[in-house]
Amino acid sequence: MDFHFYCRKVVHWNLPSNPIDLEQREGRINRYKCLAIRENIARRYGHITFSEDIWTEMFDHALRKEKAEQESELVPFWVITPAEETVAIRRIVPMYAFSRDVSAYRRLIKILAHYRITLGHARQEELLEYLFTNHNEEDLQDLFLNLSPFYSQTPCHKSSRTFPLDS
């Protein structure tokens, strides 16, 4: 079922046994021009005057404003630059007292981060959050691989951006 037109929160009443099932569940709302993306576009560009189709024209405007020259074609239809008041897709996982779900959830998120980076998934925020929470920046320098055509001596630093899927 496609819930992405009218939902931006996923409640996991139980935890799946593997990251692929978690991705499948969350993929029901994390899709092309999903509700969270449309809400962000409307907040930023809802003031524009339009002539025929407000959504087409707002997305065209957002494409010109949000997408940098070398940026992915995912912007702004799948991903939008976070702002202070960014609307995000939320993951809600109830954790019950004395439940094994707490440790199972941590394990699942760790595996999910590895799964995403292995596939080059667009949302590696959970992996970055895990790495920066559990390791210092100096230890992480060996993990960075610079694939840019121009090498920079500037070290990588932890981003101050918010992570869209909250636990």
Side-chain angles (χ1 to χ4, degrees), residues 114-133:
H114 291 120
Y115 167 77
R116 286 180 178 164
I117 197 141
T118 302
L119 296 178
H121 197 280
R123 293 186 333 235
Q124 282 93 22
E125 288 88 357
E126 279 124 354
L127 174 64
L128 294 174
E129 182 177 32
Y130 173 80
L131 289 172
F132 285 118
T133 301

Side-chain angles (χ1 to χ4, degrees), residues 16-24 108 111-113 115:
S17 60
N18 62 68
I20 296 168
D21 290 346
L22 188 69
E23 288 285 80
Q24 287 293 318
L108 185 63
I111 293 170
L112 178 63
Y115 167 77

Side-chain angles (χ1 to χ4, degrees), residues 83-98:
E84 287 184 29
E85 297 180 20
T86 302
V87 175
I89 293 173
R90 292 186 41 100
R91 174 190 302 138
I92 301 169
V93 182
M95 294 292 174
Y96 305 102
F98 308 110

Side-chain angles (χ1 to χ4, degrees), residues 45-162:
Y45 306 108
H47 64 279
I48 67 167
T49 55
F50 65 98
S51 56
E52 291 183 27
D53 182 358
I54 183 74
W55 284 112
T56 301
E57 294 172 34
M58 273 197 296
F59 270 101
D60 288 345
H61 191 76
L63 182 62
R64 288 190 302 274
K65 295 285 186 178
E66 299 285 332
K67 186 177 177 299
E69 191 172 313
Q70 299 297 321
E71 204 160 28
S72 166
E73 296 297 322
L74 298 175
V75 176
F77 309 103
W78 285 84
V79 179
I80 192 163
T81 307
E84 287 184 29
E85 297 180 20
T86 302
V87 175
I89 293 173
R90 292 186 41 100
R91 174 190 302 138
I92 301 169
V93 182
M95 294 292 174
Y96 305 102
F98 308 110
S99 171
R100 294 181 188 171
D101 282 350
V102 175
S103 60
Y105 178 71
R106 285 189 197 123
R107 179 184 170 280
L108 185 63
I109 293 304
K110 182 178 177 181
I111 293 170
L112 178 63
H114 291 120
Y115 167 77
R116 286 180 178 164
I117 197 141
T118 302
L119 296 178
H121 197 280
R123 293 186 333 235
Q124 282 93 22
E125 288 88 357
E126 279 124 354
L127 174 64
L128 294 174
E129 182 177 32
Y130 173 80
L131 289 172
F132 285 118
T133 301
N134 295 297
H135 302 283
N136 65 42
E137 188 172 334
E138 291 76 33
D139 293 342
L140 296 176
Q141 290 300 319
D142 293 336
L143 299 177
F144 289 101
L145 178 62
N146 186 347
L147 298 176
S148 66
F150 303 101
Y151 180 72
S152 171
Q153 294 293 334
T154 307
C156 297
H157 294 288
K158 181 178 179 182
S159 171
S160 61
R161 94 180 247 221
T162 57

Side-chain angles (χ1 to χ4, degrees), residues 30-56:
N30 188 16
R31 294 189 178 189
Y32 179 78
K33 292 186 179 180
C34 69
L35 178 62
I37 293 293
R38 285 183 285 123
E39 285 184 29
N40 286 315
I41 296 291
R43 284 177 184 224
R44 292 183 193 179
Y45 306 108
H47 64 279
I48 67 167
T49 55
F50 65 98
S51 56
E52 291 183 27
D53 182 358
I54 183 74
W55 284 112
T56 301

